[in-house]
């Protein structure tokens, strides 16, 4: 990626440029995902059930859930693609598909115009979105870890979640702005199309930016994928499930288990907590929107700070901090929030949860990328994350609503606490005990002055 004539300043500038290009698509992918959720109450009857608003909203949420089912498929496809044909090519295709899905929603006629085909095409747009975001996460996480300067790998990689949370913040901001400038009738009739159209345009901009991204996998790896029998031993073809599950199944299992607690905590304190504040704390929707926006905004700004911290103390200690604090304080925070009526106190409680979670999110992508060699990194990171996210994190809002309506809201606190505790065991016993050299270090430079003694 760089030559011997490169100066430290030029290397840093190149890392910054590649990080921005790699993370920009992630921002747009997650913006599109959360725009659907934020505006669903305005277009639900347009696409699903014009006679029953309640059923239409349920159908809209069901369609949102389809994205989680498609993420493992997208992670497998784009992980294989990225490990065989390059990170740049995979990231270009994923953001292109996202743009198509967003544009489809922006122009799609409703059930009054084309009947059931409107619903079918909405399903198709969300399946496409889930497929693309599943590929975007693992590939961009891998790419940003590889293009970072070695000594600031935690800092640069943290922008994975800066953009992920930033997409949620932008979606919420677009909702607030449109609610303030358009009458509710106009917003329900056509205004909800605006953020999807903007997402499609933004995807084109990212597509243009990604033309000049540096490629990070070696040419030998691409040649091995094209002619495996001539280049590598049998069974070692890059980017294949066979290679992943025969030679790298242990780090894959570690990725799933270390993600379990983090993704549950993330969706608890960023997504389900809104419904919890409305239905359990009985704060108004306007108040919870403001609380959510500012808490997430601070959470977004904290990502690079904690990423930089990991460059000083190492990844494992920071994950242990998350595991210990999450296990001890998730239940008390949520139990206290249940009885809160003051919006300011609710804000500080939400922020407290997010400050715990940032110890995980800021380095989550990097920790996973450090476990795999280049030949299987995008597939291992992406598929492991998607499996854990689909099984655990993505189900938190549904489980929370179901338990709360059944009068057992405390059971959700126990569920999330247990998942964090399981991940804590993984952090303590199954991650390197010292600042040990990783496959990523061997390929792209060493992050620490490693202790090489066994």
């Amino acid at each position: 990626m760089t030559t011997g004539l490169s100066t430290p300043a030029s290397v840093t500038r190149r890392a910054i440029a590649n990080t921005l290009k790699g993370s920009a698509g992630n921002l747009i992918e997650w913006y599109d995902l959360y725009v659907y959720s934020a505006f669903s109450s305005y277009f639900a009857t347009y696409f699903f059930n014009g006679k029953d608003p309640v059923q239409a909203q349920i159908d809209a949420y069901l369609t949102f859930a389809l994205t989680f089912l498609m993420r493992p498929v997208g992670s497998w496809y784009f992980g294989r693609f990225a490990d065989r044909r390059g990170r740049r090519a995979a990231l270009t295709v994923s953001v292109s598909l996202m743009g198509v899905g967003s544009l489809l929603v922006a122009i799609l006629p409703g059930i009054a115009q084309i009947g059931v085909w409107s619903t079918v095409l909405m399903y198709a747009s969300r399946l496409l979105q889930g497929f693309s975001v599943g590929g975007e996460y693992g590939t961009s996480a891998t790419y940003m870890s590889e293009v970072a300067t070695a000594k600031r790998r935690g800092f640069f990689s943290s922008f994975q979640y800066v953009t992920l949370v930033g997409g949620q913040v932008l979606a919420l901001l677009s909702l607030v702005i449109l609610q303030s400038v358009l009458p509710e009738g106009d917003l329900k009739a056509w205004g909800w199309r605006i953020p999807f159209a903007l997402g499609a345009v933004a995807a084109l901009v990212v597509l243009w930016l990604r033309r000049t991204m540096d490629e990070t996998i070696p040419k030998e790896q691409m040649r091995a994928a094209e002619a495996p029998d001539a280049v590598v031993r049998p069974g070692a073809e890059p980017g294949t499930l066979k290679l992943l599950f025969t030679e790298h199944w242990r780090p894959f299992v570690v990725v799933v288990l270390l993600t379990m607690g983090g993704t549950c905590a993330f969706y608890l304190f960023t997504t389900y907590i809104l419904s919890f504040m409305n239905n359990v704390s009985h704060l108004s929707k306007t108040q919870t929107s403001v609380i959510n926006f500012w808490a997430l905004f601070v959470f977004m700004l904290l990502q690079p700070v904690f990423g930089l911290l990991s460059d000083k103390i190492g990844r494992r200690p920071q994950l242990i901090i998350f595991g210990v604090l999450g296990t001890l304080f998730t239940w008390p925070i949520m139990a206290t929030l249940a009885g809160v009526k003051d919006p300011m106190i609710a804000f500080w409680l939400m922020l407290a949860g997010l400050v715990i979670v940032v110890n995980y999110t800021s380095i989550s992508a990097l920790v996973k990328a450090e476990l795999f060699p280049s030949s299987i990194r995008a597939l291992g990171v992406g598929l492991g994350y998607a499996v854990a996210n689909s099984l655990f994190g993505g189900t938190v809002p549904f489980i929370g609503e179901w338990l709360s309506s059944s009068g057992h809201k405390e059971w959700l606190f126990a569920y999330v606490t247990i998942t964090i505790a399981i991940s804590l065991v993984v952090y303590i016993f199954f991650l390197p005990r010292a600042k040990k050299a990783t496959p990523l270090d061997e390929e792209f430079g060493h992050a620490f002055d490693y202790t090489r003694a066994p």
Side-chain angles (χ1 to χ4, degrees):
M1 184 178 70
T2 59
T3 69
L5 298 177
S6 299
T7 65
S10 67
V11 170
T12 300
R13 285 195 298 270
R14 203 164 190 85
I16 292 172
N18 283 315
T19 298
L20 291 175
K21 294 169 187 176
S23 62
N26 200 50
L27 175 70
I28 303 306
E29 291 272 10
W30 290 94
Y31 164 81
D32 181 73
L33 177 73
Y34 286 114
V35 154
Y36 178 92
S37 177
F39 285 86
S40 62
S41 62
Y42 291 101
F43 60 70
T45 56
Y46 187 79
F47 290 113
F48 299 105
N49 193 323
K51 297 179 180 179
D52 186 347
V54 175
Q55 183 60 47
Q57 188 63 56
I58 293 174
D59 291 342
Y61 282 138
L62 176 62
T63 307
F64 179 76
L66 291 176
T67 65
F68 288 90
L69 297 179
M70 287 301 294
R71 287 187 196 182
V73 180
S75 295
W76 163 75
Y77 178 83
F78 282 103
R80 175 183 171 86
F81 192 109
D83 286 333
R84 295 168 64 84
R85 298 181 60 182
R87 319 304 190 205
R88 180 173 60 190
L91 288 170
T92 300
V93 174
S94 69
V95 78
S96 300
L97 292 179
M98 189 285 299
V100 171
S102 193
L103 180 62
L104 183 60
V105 178
I107 65 175
L108 189 61
I111 54 176
Q113 288 77 42
I114 60 174
V116 70
W117 282 107
S118 178
T119 305
V120 171
L121 289 172
M122 174 58 86
Y123 287 158
S125 77
R126 295 303 90 190
L127 289 171
L128 189 61
Q129 204 282 336
F131 181 72
S132 65
V133 80
E136 180 74 25
Y137 177 91
T139 308
S140 64
T142 296
Y143 182 76
M144 292 165 67
S145 300
E146 291 173 342
V147 298
T149 58
K151 300 298 183 181
R152 291 291 179 265
R153 198 167 280 147
F155 172 76
F156 282 107
S157 298
S158 70
F159 283 87
Q160 172 84 0
Y161 264 87
V162 170
T163 52
L164 192 154
V165 178
Q168 193 169 1
V169 170
L170 285 179
L172 186 61
L173 182 61
S174 67
L175 175 63
V176 171
I177 291 174
L178 288 174
Q179 284 176 332
S180 65
V181 301
L182 289 178
E184 184 166 352
D186 288 346
L187 191 53
K188 192 170 184 178
W190 56 268
W192 56 266
R193 295 184 185 273
I194 295 174
F196 290 101
L198 291 174
V201 173
L204 286 175
V205 174
V206 174
L207 186 61
W208 179 78
L209 288 173
R210 284 184 168 175
R211 295 177 308 115
T212 56
M213 291 169 60
D214 288 330
E215 183 52 69
T216 56
I217 70 170
K219 293 180 180 179
E220 292 77 9
Q221 185 171 318
M222 293 187 189
R223 287 199 295 268
E226 294 172 356
D229 294 337
V231 184
V232 297
R233 68 188 186 282
E237 186 180 347
T240 59
L241 290 176
K242 183 176 182 180
L243 177 60
L244 179 63
F245 291 126
T246 56
E247 297 193 20
H248 303 283
W249 65 268
R250 288 182 180 85
F252 175 80
V253 173
V254 169
V255 166
V256 173
L257 294 178
L258 76 83
T259 304
M260 177 198 298
T263 191
C264 283
F266 176 79
Y267 278 98
L268 175 68
F269 287 113
T270 65
T271 305
Y272 174 66
I273 199 168
L274 295 178
S275 175
F276 189 84
M277 288 181 184
N278 291 331
N279 301 326
V280 179
S281 305
H282 299 295
L283 297 172
S284 71
K285 290 185 178 181
T286 302
Q287 289 173 326
T288 56
S289 294
V290 173
I291 291 168
N292 186 48
F293 175 81
W294 287 111
L296 287 176
F297 184 75
V298 174
F299 182 52
M300 178 180 69
L301 296 181
L302 288 176
Q303 302 298 324
V305 176
F306 280 76
L308 191 61
L309 176 64
S310 79
D311 289 323
K312 302 295 184 183
I313 68 173
R315 326 297 180 207
R316 179 172 172 269
Q318 199 161 313
L319 287 176
I320 292 175
I321 291 171
F322 157 70
V324 171
L325 295 180
T327 301
L328 292 177
F329 292 106
T330 295
W331 190 311
I333 288 173
M334 295 301 295
T336 303
L337 183 61
V340 164
K341 305 301 178 186
D342 187 330
M344 185 57 68
I345 296 177
F347 165 78
W348 286 112
L349 286 169
M350 180 178 178
L351 187 59
L354 293 174
V355 170
I356 293 173
V357 177
V358 75
N359 287 281
Y360 164 81
T361 57
S362 60
I363 58 173
S364 169
L366 175 58
V367 170
K368 297 164 193 171
E370 288 180 329
L371 296 175
F372 298 96
S374 176
S375 60
I376 201 69
R377 184 171 293 130
L379 180 60
V381 172
L383 187 60
Y385 164 81
V387 168
N389 204 47
S390 297
L391 292 177
F392 303 105
T395 60
V396 164
F398 170 76
I399 293 173
E401 288 289 347
W402 177 62
L403 290 175
S404 182
S405 64
S406 303
H408 301 293
K409 60 181 181 291
E410 294 85 2
W411 292 7
L412 178 68
F413 314 158
Y415 169 70
V416 175
T417 299
I418 290 170
T419 62
I420 296 174
I422 292 172
S423 290
L424 176 60
V425 172
V426 175
Y427 306 151
I428 295 174
F429 295 106
F430 295 96
L431 290 180
R433 291 182 174 272
K435 295 175 180 177
K436 185 178 179 182
T438 69
L440 190 66
D441 295 311
E442 299 295 343
E443 297 163 3
F444 294 96
H446 293 260
F448 302 101
D449 295 326
Y450 292 104
T451 301
R452 295 185 177 274

